[in-house]
Amino acid sequence: MMKKKSDKILRHTASERINHWLVAIVFVFTAISGLGFFFPSLNWFMNILGTPELSRLLHPFVGSVMAFLFIFMFFRYLKHNFIDKDDLVWAKNIHKVLQNEEAGDIGHYNLGQKGIYWTLSISLILLTVSGVIIWRPYFADYFSIPVIRIALLVHSLSAILLIITVIVHAYAAFWVKGSIRSMVEGWVTRGWAKKHHPRWYREVLEEEKKEEENKQSQK
Ligand code: HEM
């Protein structure tokens, strides 16, 4: 008798999920302390890491932890984020997407998600490089005042870009029902995969078929 297929498909492994949520938690601490330094009206945010002094001391270390943890995410998800011709169909039909309909033969991620992935990656690289340049007392002394000024500007602009991108990313994650569960519990239903990522679903079916054939040949 054929074994009935489970309705659940693995989308994110446990280590991917832990990696993602650690980055998200560390992001919140760095973003809140950073906003506290930047806007006088938000100075009280500086208490997020204890006291304003402690926040100033810890912010670059916590930021470095975020950048370090993101390296793993970057490489885990890189293969799913190359832009292909089906993404253009998605872009042309963006009006449908905004009405909650699907467009194009979407693989693991759609163009919107890929755009978020690349924006997060670029803004984190810019933040890290500029952050090291302005990091007193350890590194800033190695750079001239004009370089530090440019780095401060880059740091502020890339921080704003990162914060806005994360807000859009989190909004989209809540908007597409079933997405958050995939990053919390790891799985999605077959219906979800077929609806939002049909090409990825066909790849999953192919893999399942191969596994089944391997099992049969080993019997
Ligand atoms: C704070 C709230 C956040 C929520 C609710 C959230 C939610 C999610 C969800 C549900 C997914 C899975 C999407 C899917 O598989 O279709 C995902 C993927 C991802 N998240 Fe987040 N996330 C948050 C913060 C962050 C932060 C702070 C970063 C990095 C700075 C981040 C980077 C990513 C990346 C790189 C992926 C993989 C997407 C891709 O490769 O295109 N997330 N997130």
Side-chain angles (χ1 to χ4, degrees), residues 11-12 20-21 23-24 27 66 70 73 77 81 109 113-114 117 120 124 162 166 169-170 173-174 179-180 182-183 192 197:
R11 184 148 168 95
H12 301 284
H20 175 271
W21 290 118
V23 170
F27 163 81
M66 173 167 67
F70 189 80
M73 280 188 86
Y77 291 105
N81 282 290
Y109 289 116
Q113 291 171 303
K114 290 178 184 178
Y117 169 89
L120 291 176
L124 270 166
L162 179 69
V166 171
H169 169 66
F174 282 101
S179 240
I180 297 281
S182 79
M183 207 26 116
W192 187 96
H197 302 276

PDB file of all heavy atoms in Angstrom, residues 11-12 20-21 23-24 27 66 70 73 77 81 109 113-114 117 120 124 162 166 169-170 173-174 179-180 182-183 192 197, ligand 1:
ATOM      1  N   ARG A  11      10.600  23.863   5.267  1.00  0.00           N
ATOM      2  CA  ARG A  11      11.062  25.050   4.512  1.00  0.00           C
ATOM      3  C   ARG A  11      12.334  25.622   5.147  1.00  0.00           C
ATOM      4  O   ARG A  11      13.214  26.062   4.445  1.00  0.00           O
ATOM      5  CB  ARG A  11       9.948  26.108   4.473  1.00  0.00           C
ATOM      6  CG  ARG A  11      10.328  27.330   3.614  1.00  0.00           C
ATOM      7  CD  ARG A  11       9.125  27.928   2.966  1.00  0.00           C
ATOM      8  NE  ARG A  11       9.393  29.223   2.375  1.00  0.00           N
ATOM      9  CZ  ARG A  11       9.717  29.417   1.092  1.00  0.00           C
ATOM     10  NH1 ARG A  11       9.814  28.390   0.266  1.00  0.00           N
ATOM     11  NH2 ARG A  11       9.913  30.632   0.634  1.00  0.00           N
ATOM     12  N   HIS A  12      12.399  25.613   6.469  1.00  0.00           N
ATOM     13  CA  HIS A  12      13.608  26.116   7.132  1.00  0.00           C
ATOM     14  C   HIS A  12      14.025  25.119   8.211  1.00  0.00           C
ATOM     15  O   HIS A  12      13.206  24.778   9.078  1.00  0.00           O
ATOM     16  CB  HIS A  12      13.347  27.476   7.784  1.00  0.00           C
ATOM     17  CG  HIS A  12      12.901  28.523   6.812  1.00  0.00           C
ATOM     18  ND1 HIS A  12      13.753  29.157   5.936  1.00  0.00           N
ATOM     19  CD2 HIS A  12      11.669  29.036   6.538  1.00  0.00           C
ATOM     20  CE1 HIS A  12      13.081  30.018   5.193  1.00  0.00           C
ATOM     21  NE2 HIS A  12      11.809  29.955   5.531  1.00  0.00           N
ATOM     22  N   HIS A  20      18.214  32.737  12.146  1.00  0.00           N
ATOM     23  CA  HIS A  20      17.371  33.869  11.769  1.00  0.00           C
ATOM     24  C   HIS A  20      16.903  34.652  12.985  1.00  0.00           C
ATOM     25  O   HIS A  20      17.002  35.875  13.035  1.00  0.00           O
ATOM     26  CB  HIS A  20      16.177  33.362  10.948  1.00  0.00           C
ATOM     27  CG  HIS A  20      15.196  34.453  10.612  1.00  0.00           C
ATOM     28  ND1 HIS A  20      14.151  34.782  11.441  1.00  0.00           N
ATOM     29  CD2 HIS A  20      15.131  35.317   9.569  1.00  0.00           C
ATOM     30  CE1 HIS A  20      13.477  35.789  10.905  1.00  0.00           C
ATOM     31  NE2 HIS A  20      14.044  36.133   9.773  1.00  0.00           N
ATOM     32  N   TRP A  21      16.404  33.940  14.007  1.00  0.00           N
ATOM     33  CA  TRP A  21      15.821  34.672  15.148  1.00  0.00           C
ATOM     34  C   TRP A  21      16.909  35.305  16.021  1.00  0.00           C
ATOM     35  O   TRP A  21      16.672  36.347  16.639  1.00  0.00           O
ATOM     36  CB  TRP A  21      14.863  33.783  15.947  1.00  0.00           C
ATOM     37  CG  TRP A  21      13.623  33.507  15.145  1.00  0.00           C
ATOM     38  CD1 TRP A  21      13.176  32.288  14.718  1.00  0.00           C
ATOM     39  CD2 TRP A  21      12.685  34.466  14.598  1.00  0.00           C
ATOM     40  NE1 TRP A  21      12.032  32.418  13.961  1.00  0.00           N
ATOM     41  CE2 TRP A  21      11.704  33.742  13.871  1.00  0.00           C
ATOM     42  CE3 TRP A  21      12.575  35.850  14.648  1.00  0.00           C
ATOM     43  CZ2 TRP A  21      10.634  34.361  13.204  1.00  0.00           C
ATOM     44  CZ3 TRP A  21      11.509  36.479  13.981  1.00  0.00           C
ATOM     45  CH2 TRP A  21      10.558  35.730  13.283  1.00  0.00           C
ATOM     46  N   VAL A  23      19.615  36.646  14.740  1.00  0.00           N
ATOM     47  CA  VAL A  23      19.900  37.885  13.997  1.00  0.00           C
ATOM     48  C   VAL A  23      18.812  38.916  14.295  1.00  0.00           C
ATOM     49  O   VAL A  23      19.101  40.086  14.562  1.00  0.00           O
ATOM     50  CB  VAL A  23      20.000  37.617  12.468  1.00  0.00           C
ATOM     51  CG1 VAL A  23      20.054  38.927  11.693  1.00  0.00           C
ATOM     52  CG2 VAL A  23      21.230  36.781  12.142  1.00  0.00           C
ATOM     53  N   ALA A  24      17.543  38.459  14.288  1.00  0.00           N
ATOM     54  CA  ALA A  24      16.431  39.397  14.506  1.00  0.00           C
ATOM     55  C   ALA A  24      16.511  40.019  15.908  1.00  0.00           C
ATOM     56  O   ALA A  24      16.316  41.229  16.068  1.00  0.00           O
ATOM     57  CB  ALA A  24      15.100  38.683  14.300  1.00  0.00           C
ATOM     58  N   PHE A  27      19.374  42.391  16.063  1.00  0.00           N
ATOM     59  CA  PHE A  27      19.005  43.566  15.264  1.00  0.00           C
ATOM     60  C   PHE A  27      18.214  44.557  16.117  1.00  0.00           C
ATOM     61  O   PHE A  27      18.470  45.763  16.091  1.00  0.00           O
ATOM     62  CB  PHE A  27      18.183  43.136  14.031  1.00  0.00           C
ATOM     63  CG  PHE A  27      17.435  44.279  13.405  1.00  0.00           C
ATOM     64  CD1 PHE A  27      18.089  45.152  12.542  1.00  0.00           C
ATOM     65  CD2 PHE A  27      16.097  44.510  13.690  1.00  0.00           C
ATOM     66  CE1 PHE A  27      17.416  46.239  11.993  1.00  0.00           C
ATOM     67  CE2 PHE A  27      15.411  45.573  13.142  1.00  0.00           C
ATOM     68  CZ  PHE A  27      16.074  46.438  12.287  1.00  0.00           C
ATOM     69  N   MET A  66      25.711  40.735  15.135  1.00  0.00           N
ATOM     70  CA  MET A  66      24.678  40.656  14.086  1.00  0.00           C
ATOM     71  C   MET A  66      25.333  40.383  12.726  1.00  0.00           C
ATOM     72  O   MET A  66      24.898  39.500  11.977  1.00  0.00           O
ATOM     73  CB  MET A  66      23.868  41.946  14.041  1.00  0.00           C
ATOM     74  CG  MET A  66      22.889  41.998  12.876  1.00  0.00           C
ATOM     75  SD  MET A  66      21.676  43.308  13.019  1.00  0.00           S
ATOM     76  CE  MET A  66      22.650  44.762  12.849  1.00  0.00           C
ATOM     77  N   PHE A  70      24.885  37.058  10.518  1.00  0.00           N
ATOM     78  CA  PHE A  70      24.249  37.202   9.200  1.00  0.00           C
ATOM     79  C   PHE A  70      25.074  36.521   8.097  1.00  0.00           C
ATOM     80  O   PHE A  70      24.513  36.088   7.090  1.00  0.00           O
ATOM     81  CB  PHE A  70      24.023  38.682   8.856  1.00  0.00           C
ATOM     82  CG  PHE A  70      23.189  38.860   7.611  1.00  0.00           C
ATOM     83  CD1 PHE A  70      21.804  38.731   7.663  1.00  0.00           C
ATOM     84  CD2 PHE A  70      23.779  39.116   6.379  1.00  0.00           C
ATOM     85  CE1 PHE A  70      21.027  38.854   6.508  1.00  0.00           C
ATOM     86  CE2 PHE A  70      23.011  39.251   5.225  1.00  0.00           C
ATOM     87  CZ  PHE A  70      21.628  39.124   5.290  1.00  0.00           C
ATOM     88  N   MET A  73      23.629  33.256   7.460  1.00  0.00           N
ATOM     89  CA  MET A  73      22.345  33.369   6.739  1.00  0.00           C
ATOM     90  C   MET A  73      22.585  33.689   5.277  1.00  0.00           C
ATOM     91  O   MET A  73      21.947  33.128   4.393  1.00  0.00           O
ATOM     92  CB  MET A  73      21.511  34.508   7.323  1.00  0.00           C
ATOM     93  CG  MET A  73      20.802  34.147   8.575  1.00  0.00           C
ATOM     94  SD  MET A  73      19.705  35.497   9.005  1.00  0.00           S
ATOM     95  CE  MET A  73      18.289  35.071   8.079  1.00  0.00           C
ATOM     96  N   TYR A  77      21.203  31.164   2.274  1.00  0.00           N
ATOM     97  CA  TYR A  77      20.100  31.542   1.385  1.00  0.00           C
ATOM     98  C   TYR A  77      20.554  32.050   0.019  1.00  0.00           C
ATOM     99  O   TYR A  77      19.720  32.300  -0.841  1.00  0.00           O
ATOM    100  CB  TYR A  77      19.217  32.599   2.070  1.00  0.00           C
ATOM    101  CG  TYR A  77      18.436  32.043   3.244  1.00  0.00           C
ATOM    102  CD1 TYR A  77      18.793  32.318   4.559  1.00  0.00           C
ATOM    103  CD2 TYR A  77      17.343  31.202   3.023  1.00  0.00           C
ATOM    104  CE1 TYR A  77      18.085  31.785   5.631  1.00  0.00           C
ATOM    105  CE2 TYR A  77      16.638  30.670   4.090  1.00  0.00           C
ATOM    106  CZ  TYR A  77      17.011  30.964   5.391  1.00  0.00           C
ATOM    107  OH  TYR A  77      16.308  30.430   6.438  1.00  0.00           O
ATOM    108  N   ASN A  81      18.548  33.138  -4.104  1.00  0.00           N
ATOM    109  CA  ASN A  81      18.296  34.566  -4.328  1.00  0.00           C
ATOM    110  C   ASN A  81      18.891  35.152  -5.599  1.00  0.00           C
ATOM    111  O   ASN A  81      18.989  36.368  -5.732  1.00  0.00           O
ATOM    112  CB  ASN A  81      18.744  35.360  -3.097  1.00  0.00           C
ATOM    113  CG  ASN A  81      17.716  35.243  -1.982  1.00  0.00           C
ATOM    114  OD1 ASN A  81      16.624  35.793  -2.081  1.00  0.00           O
ATOM    115  ND2 ASN A  81      18.036  34.468  -0.964  1.00  0.00           N
ATOM    116  N   TYR A 109      12.023  31.760  -3.702  1.00  0.00           N
ATOM    117  CA  TYR A 109      11.651  33.117  -3.305  1.00  0.00           C
ATOM    118  C   TYR A 109      11.187  33.936  -4.504  1.00  0.00           C
ATOM    119  O   TYR A 109      11.636  33.681  -5.621  1.00  0.00           O
ATOM    120  CB  TYR A 109      12.841  33.824  -2.643  1.00  0.00           C
ATOM    121  CG  TYR A 109      13.152  33.259  -1.289  1.00  0.00           C
ATOM    122  CD1 TYR A 109      14.355  32.620  -1.032  1.00  0.00           C
ATOM    123  CD2 TYR A 109      12.207  33.331  -0.268  1.00  0.00           C
ATOM    124  CE1 TYR A 109      14.613  32.060   0.210  1.00  0.00           C
ATOM    125  CE2 TYR A 109      12.458  32.779   0.976  1.00  0.00           C
ATOM    126  CZ  TYR A 109      13.660  32.147   1.202  1.00  0.00           C
ATOM    127  OH  TYR A 109      13.897  31.605   2.431  1.00  0.00           O
ATOM    128  N   GLN A 113      11.133  39.174  -2.281  1.00  0.00           N
ATOM    129  CA  GLN A 113      11.951  38.582  -1.215  1.00  0.00           C
ATOM    130  C   GLN A 113      13.437  38.650  -1.559  1.00  0.00           C
ATOM    131  O   GLN A 113      14.276  38.898  -0.696  1.00  0.00           O
ATOM    132  CB  GLN A 113      11.534  37.125  -0.993  1.00  0.00           C
ATOM    133  CG  GLN A 113      10.147  36.998  -0.377  1.00  0.00           C
ATOM    134  CD  GLN A 113       9.677  35.551  -0.370  1.00  0.00           C
ATOM    135  OE1 GLN A 113       9.605  34.899  -1.415  1.00  0.00           O
ATOM    136  NE2 GLN A 113       9.363  35.048   0.805  1.00  0.00           N
ATOM    137  N   LYS A 114      13.734  38.441  -2.867  1.00  0.00           N
ATOM    138  CA  LYS A 114      15.139  38.511  -3.286  1.00  0.00           C
ATOM    139  C   LYS A 114      15.674  39.933  -3.109  1.00  0.00           C
ATOM    140  O   LYS A 114      16.807  40.133  -2.676  1.00  0.00           O
ATOM    141  CB  LYS A 114      15.281  38.075  -4.749  1.00  0.00           C
ATOM    142  CG  LYS A 114      15.027  36.581  -4.938  1.00  0.00           C
ATOM    143  CD  LYS A 114      15.118  36.184  -6.400  1.00  0.00           C
ATOM    144  CE  LYS A 114      14.767  34.717  -6.570  1.00  0.00           C
ATOM    145  NZ  LYS A 114      14.796  34.282  -7.973  1.00  0.00           N
ATOM    146  N   TYR A 117      16.450  40.414   0.473  1.00  0.00           N
ATOM    147  CA  TYR A 117      17.689  39.697   0.821  1.00  0.00           C
ATOM    148  C   TYR A 117      18.918  40.529   0.426  1.00  0.00           C
ATOM    149  O   TYR A 117      19.842  40.722   1.217  1.00  0.00           O
ATOM    150  CB  TYR A 117      17.691  38.351   0.090  1.00  0.00           C
ATOM    151  CG  TYR A 117      19.003  37.598   0.131  1.00  0.00           C
ATOM    152  CD1 TYR A 117      19.292  36.713   1.168  1.00  0.00           C
ATOM    153  CD2 TYR A 117      19.961  37.779  -0.874  1.00  0.00           C
ATOM    154  CE1 TYR A 117      20.491  36.026   1.204  1.00  0.00           C
ATOM    155  CE2 TYR A 117      21.162  37.094  -0.840  1.00  0.00           C
ATOM    156  CZ  TYR A 117      21.418  36.214   0.190  1.00  0.00           C
ATOM    157  OH  TYR A 117      22.614  35.537   0.224  1.00  0.00           O
ATOM    158  N   LEU A 120      19.175  43.817   2.506  1.00  0.00           N
ATOM    159  CA  LEU A 120      19.677  43.532   3.861  1.00  0.00           C
ATOM    160  C   LEU A 120      21.174  43.282   3.812  1.00  0.00           C
ATOM    161  O   LEU A 120      21.941  43.799   4.621  1.00  0.00           O
ATOM    162  CB  LEU A 120      18.991  42.270   4.431  1.00  0.00           C
ATOM    163  CG  LEU A 120      17.498  42.338   4.776  1.00  0.00           C
ATOM    164  CD1 LEU A 120      16.999  40.970   5.232  1.00  0.00           C
ATOM    165  CD2 LEU A 120      17.236  43.377   5.858  1.00  0.00           C
ATOM    166  N   LEU A 124      23.979  45.709   5.473  1.00  0.00           N
ATOM    167  CA  LEU A 124      24.786  45.189   6.584  1.00  0.00           C
ATOM    168  C   LEU A 124      26.285  45.290   6.296  1.00  0.00           C
ATOM    169  O   LEU A 124      27.078  45.561   7.201  1.00  0.00           O
ATOM    170  CB  LEU A 124      24.393  43.734   6.888  1.00  0.00           C
ATOM    171  CG  LEU A 124      23.278  43.642   7.933  1.00  0.00           C
ATOM    172  CD1 LEU A 124      22.663  42.257   7.976  1.00  0.00           C
ATOM    173  CD2 LEU A 124      23.811  44.005   9.304  1.00  0.00           C
ATOM    174  N   LEU A 162      18.446  49.695   6.473  1.00  0.00           N
ATOM    175  CA  LEU A 162      18.254  48.370   7.083  1.00  0.00           C
ATOM    176  C   LEU A 162      16.963  48.322   7.895  1.00  0.00           C
ATOM    177  O   LEU A 162      16.171  47.379   7.775  1.00  0.00           O
ATOM    178  CB  LEU A 162      19.466  48.019   7.967  1.00  0.00           C
ATOM    179  CG  LEU A 162      19.369  46.671   8.685  1.00  0.00           C
ATOM    180  CD1 LEU A 162      19.454  45.506   7.695  1.00  0.00           C
ATOM    181  CD2 LEU A 162      20.463  46.495   9.728  1.00  0.00           C
ATOM    182  N   VAL A 166      13.821  45.913   7.145  1.00  0.00           N
ATOM    183  CA  VAL A 166      13.352  44.883   8.094  1.00  0.00           C
ATOM    184  C   VAL A 166      11.867  45.081   8.380  1.00  0.00           C
ATOM    185  O   VAL A 166      11.114  44.101   8.474  1.00  0.00           O
ATOM    186  CB  VAL A 166      14.196  44.899   9.400  1.00  0.00           C
ATOM    187  CG1 VAL A 166      13.573  43.989  10.450  1.00  0.00           C
ATOM    188  CG2 VAL A 166      15.631  44.466   9.107  1.00  0.00           C
ATOM    189  N   HIS A 169      10.061  43.703   5.453  1.00  0.00           N
ATOM    190  CA  HIS A 169      10.234  42.245   5.491  1.00  0.00           C
ATOM    191  C   HIS A 169       9.285  41.609   6.517  1.00  0.00           C
ATOM    192  O   HIS A 169       8.586  40.640   6.221  1.00  0.00           O
ATOM    193  CB  HIS A 169      11.706  41.969   5.834  1.00  0.00           C
ATOM    194  CG  HIS A 169      12.035  40.565   6.180  1.00  0.00           C
ATOM    195  ND1 HIS A 169      11.952  39.529   5.274  1.00  0.00           N
ATOM    196  CD2 HIS A 169      12.484  40.001   7.337  1.00  0.00           C
ATOM    197  CE1 HIS A 169      12.331  38.408   5.861  1.00  0.00           C
ATOM    198  NE2 HIS A 169      12.649  38.665   7.112  1.00  0.00           N
ATOM    199  N   ALA A 170       9.238  42.196   7.726  1.00  0.00           N
ATOM    200  CA  ALA A 170       8.385  41.640   8.775  1.00  0.00           C
ATOM    201  C   ALA A 170       6.906  41.817   8.393  1.00  0.00           C
ATOM    202  O   ALA A 170       6.092  40.909   8.584  1.00  0.00           O
ATOM    203  CB  ALA A 170       8.678  42.331  10.108  1.00  0.00           C
ATOM    204  N   ALA A 173       6.035  39.241   5.926  1.00  0.00           N
ATOM    205  CA  ALA A 173       6.002  37.921   6.559  1.00  0.00           C
ATOM    206  C   ALA A 173       4.658  37.695   7.266  1.00  0.00           C
ATOM    207  O   ALA A 173       4.086  36.612   7.221  1.00  0.00           O
ATOM    208  CB  ALA A 173       7.158  37.795   7.542  1.00  0.00           C
ATOM    209  N   PHE A 174       4.133  38.763   7.918  1.00  0.00           N
ATOM    210  CA  PHE A 174       2.831  38.627   8.582  1.00  0.00           C
ATOM    211  C   PHE A 174       1.691  38.611   7.568  1.00  0.00           C
ATOM    212  O   PHE A 174       0.658  37.998   7.778  1.00  0.00           O
ATOM    213  CB  PHE A 174       2.620  39.756   9.607  1.00  0.00           C
ATOM    214  CG  PHE A 174       3.355  39.529  10.893  1.00  0.00           C
ATOM    215  CD1 PHE A 174       4.553  40.177  11.156  1.00  0.00           C
ATOM    216  CD2 PHE A 174       2.870  38.625  11.847  1.00  0.00           C
ATOM    217  CE1 PHE A 174       5.259  39.946  12.339  1.00  0.00           C
ATOM    218  CE2 PHE A 174       3.556  38.386  13.034  1.00  0.00           C
ATOM    219  CZ  PHE A 174       4.761  39.055  13.274  1.00  0.00           C
ATOM    220  N   SER A 179       3.650  32.088   6.571  1.00  0.00           N
ATOM    221  CA  SER A 179       5.078  32.405   6.440  1.00  0.00           C
ATOM    222  C   SER A 179       5.790  32.365   7.791  1.00  0.00           C
ATOM    223  O   SER A 179       6.857  31.776   7.931  1.00  0.00           O
ATOM    224  CB  SER A 179       5.199  33.822   5.900  1.00  0.00           C
ATOM    225  OG  SER A 179       5.861  33.842   4.715  1.00  0.00           O
ATOM    226  N   ILE A 180       5.176  33.044   8.773  1.00  0.00           N
ATOM    227  CA  ILE A 180       5.811  33.133  10.097  1.00  0.00           C
ATOM    228  C   ILE A 180       5.992  31.717  10.670  1.00  0.00           C
ATOM    229  O   ILE A 180       7.036  31.394  11.216  1.00  0.00           O
ATOM    230  CB  ILE A 180       4.942  33.980  11.060  1.00  0.00           C
ATOM    231  CG1 ILE A 180       4.841  35.416  10.548  1.00  0.00           C
ATOM    232  CG2 ILE A 180       5.473  33.937  12.496  1.00  0.00           C
ATOM    233  CD1 ILE A 180       6.035  36.289  10.820  1.00  0.00           C
ATOM    234  N   SER A 182       6.534  29.094   9.120  1.00  0.00           N
ATOM    235  CA  SER A 182       7.659  28.410   8.470  1.00  0.00           C
ATOM    236  C   SER A 182       8.975  28.800   9.134  1.00  0.00           C
ATOM    237  O   SER A 182       9.918  28.019   9.153  1.00  0.00           O
ATOM    238  CB  SER A 182       7.700  28.739   6.974  1.00  0.00           C
ATOM    239  OG  SER A 182       8.275  30.009   6.752  1.00  0.00           O
ATOM    240  N   MET A 183       9.044  30.013   9.702  1.00  0.00           N
ATOM    241  CA  MET A 183      10.295  30.438  10.356  1.00  0.00           C
ATOM    242  C   MET A 183      10.262  30.108  11.847  1.00  0.00           C
ATOM    243  O   MET A 183      11.282  30.203  12.518  1.00  0.00           O
ATOM    244  CB  MET A 183      10.481  31.944  10.119  1.00  0.00           C
ATOM    245  CG  MET A 183      11.883  32.466  10.111  1.00  0.00           C
ATOM    246  SD  MET A 183      13.191  31.357   9.673  1.00  0.00           S
ATOM    247  CE  MET A 183      13.839  32.050   8.182  1.00  0.00           C
ATOM    248  N   TRP A 192       0.247  25.701   0.613  1.00  0.00           N
ATOM    249  CA  TRP A 192       0.992  26.967   0.713  1.00  0.00           C
ATOM    250  C   TRP A 192       2.107  26.992  -0.326  1.00  0.00           C
ATOM    251  O   TRP A 192       2.283  27.979  -1.055  1.00  0.00           O
ATOM    252  CB  TRP A 192       1.572  27.097   2.130  1.00  0.00           C
ATOM    253  CG  TRP A 192       2.236  28.412   2.447  1.00  0.00           C
ATOM    254  CD1 TRP A 192       1.659  29.470   3.079  1.00  0.00           C
ATOM    255  CD2 TRP A 192       3.586  28.808   2.157  1.00  0.00           C
ATOM    256  NE1 TRP A 192       2.574  30.509   3.203  1.00  0.00           N
ATOM    257  CE2 TRP A 192       3.755  30.129   2.649  1.00  0.00           C
ATOM    258  CE3 TRP A 192       4.668  28.186   1.536  1.00  0.00           C
ATOM    259  CZ2 TRP A 192       4.961  30.822   2.543  1.00  0.00           C
ATOM    260  CZ3 TRP A 192       5.870  28.882   1.422  1.00  0.00           C
ATOM    261  CH2 TRP A 192       6.002  30.183   1.924  1.00  0.00           C
ATOM    262  N   HIS A 197       4.826  29.334  -4.095  1.00  0.00           N
ATOM    263  CA  HIS A 197       6.137  29.019  -4.698  1.00  0.00           C
ATOM    264  C   HIS A 197       6.028  27.735  -5.536  1.00  0.00           C
ATOM    265  O   HIS A 197       6.647  26.718  -5.195  1.00  0.00           O
ATOM    266  CB  HIS A 197       7.200  28.878  -3.589  1.00  0.00           C
ATOM    267  CG  HIS A 197       7.339  30.102  -2.745  1.00  0.00           C
ATOM    268  ND1 HIS A 197       8.137  31.173  -3.103  1.00  0.00           N
ATOM    269  CD2 HIS A 197       6.743  30.459  -1.581  1.00  0.00           C
ATOM    270  CE1 HIS A 197       8.034  32.128  -2.188  1.00  0.00           C
ATOM    271  NE2 HIS A 197       7.187  31.718  -1.262  1.00  0.00           N
TER     272      HIS A 197
HETATM  273  C1  HEM B   1      11.854  41.216  13.227  1.00  0.00           C
HETATM  274  C2  HEM B   1      10.988  40.515  12.613  1.00  0.00           C
HETATM  275  C3  HEM B   1      11.234  39.505  11.534  1.00  0.00           C
HETATM  276  C4  HEM B   1      10.268  38.667  11.066  1.00  0.00           C
HETATM  277  C5  HEM B   1       8.820  38.602  11.542  1.00  0.00           C
HETATM  278  C6  HEM B   1      10.859  37.833  10.041  1.00  0.00           C
HETATM  279  C7  HEM B   1      10.219  36.824   9.355  1.00  0.00           C
HETATM  280  C8  HEM B   1      10.770  35.998   8.380  1.00  0.00           C
HETATM  281  C9  HEM B   1      10.107  34.896   7.738  1.00  0.00           C
HETATM  282  C10 HEM B   1       8.699  34.432   8.039  1.00  0.00           C
HETATM  283  C11 HEM B   1      10.950  34.367   6.806  1.00  0.00           C
HETATM  284  C12 HEM B   1      10.669  33.169   5.881  1.00  0.00           C
HETATM  285  C13 HEM B   1      10.137  33.609   4.547  1.00  0.00           C
HETATM  286  C14 HEM B   1       9.888  32.437   3.611  1.00  0.00           C
HETATM  287  O1  HEM B   1      10.513  31.393   3.767  1.00  0.00           O
HETATM  288  O2  HEM B   1       9.091  32.577   2.657  1.00  0.00           O
HETATM  289  C15 HEM B   1      12.166  35.132   6.858  1.00  0.00           C
HETATM  290  C16 HEM B   1      13.280  34.927   6.058  1.00  0.00           C
HETATM  291  C17 HEM B   1      14.422  35.686   6.090  1.00  0.00           C
HETATM  292  N1  HEM B   1      14.696  36.706   6.999  1.00  0.00           N
HETATM  293 FE1  HEM B   1      13.448  37.458   8.428  1.00  0.00          FE
HETATM  294  N2  HEM B   1      12.161  38.210   9.873  1.00  0.00           N
HETATM  295  C18 HEM B   1      12.452  39.217  10.771  1.00  0.00           C
HETATM  296  C19 HEM B   1      13.684  39.862  10.925  1.00  0.00           C
HETATM  297  C20 HEM B   1      14.793  39.659  10.114  1.00  0.00           C
HETATM  298  C21 HEM B   1      16.049  40.378  10.221  1.00  0.00           C
HETATM  299  C22 HEM B   1      16.351  41.433  11.294  1.00  0.00           C
HETATM  300  C23 HEM B   1      16.854  39.920   9.236  1.00  0.00           C
HETATM  301  C24 HEM B   1      18.258  40.335   8.892  1.00  0.00           C
HETATM  302  C25 HEM B   1      18.792  41.491   9.156  1.00  0.00           C
HETATM  303  C26 HEM B   1      16.113  38.915   8.480  1.00  0.00           C
HETATM  304  C27 HEM B   1      16.596  38.250   7.372  1.00  0.00           C
HETATM  305  C28 HEM B   1      15.928  37.238   6.683  1.00  0.00           C
HETATM  306  C29 HEM B   1      16.467  36.535   5.528  1.00  0.00           C
HETATM  307  C30 HEM B   1      17.821  36.812   4.869  1.00  0.00           C
HETATM  308  C31 HEM B   1      15.529  35.568   5.174  1.00  0.00           C
HETATM  309  C32 HEM B   1      15.616  34.606   4.006  1.00  0.00           C
HETATM  310  C33 HEM B   1      14.879  35.243   2.860  1.00  0.00           C
HETATM  311  C34 HEM B   1      15.591  35.180   1.558  1.00  0.00           C
HETATM  312  O3  HEM B   1      16.589  34.454   1.429  1.00  0.00           O
HETATM  313  O4  HEM B   1      15.145  35.872   0.593  1.00  0.00           O
HETATM  314  N3  HEM B   1      14.860  38.775   9.043  1.00  0.00           N
HETATM  315  N4  HEM B   1      12.030  36.133   7.824  1.00  0.00           N
END
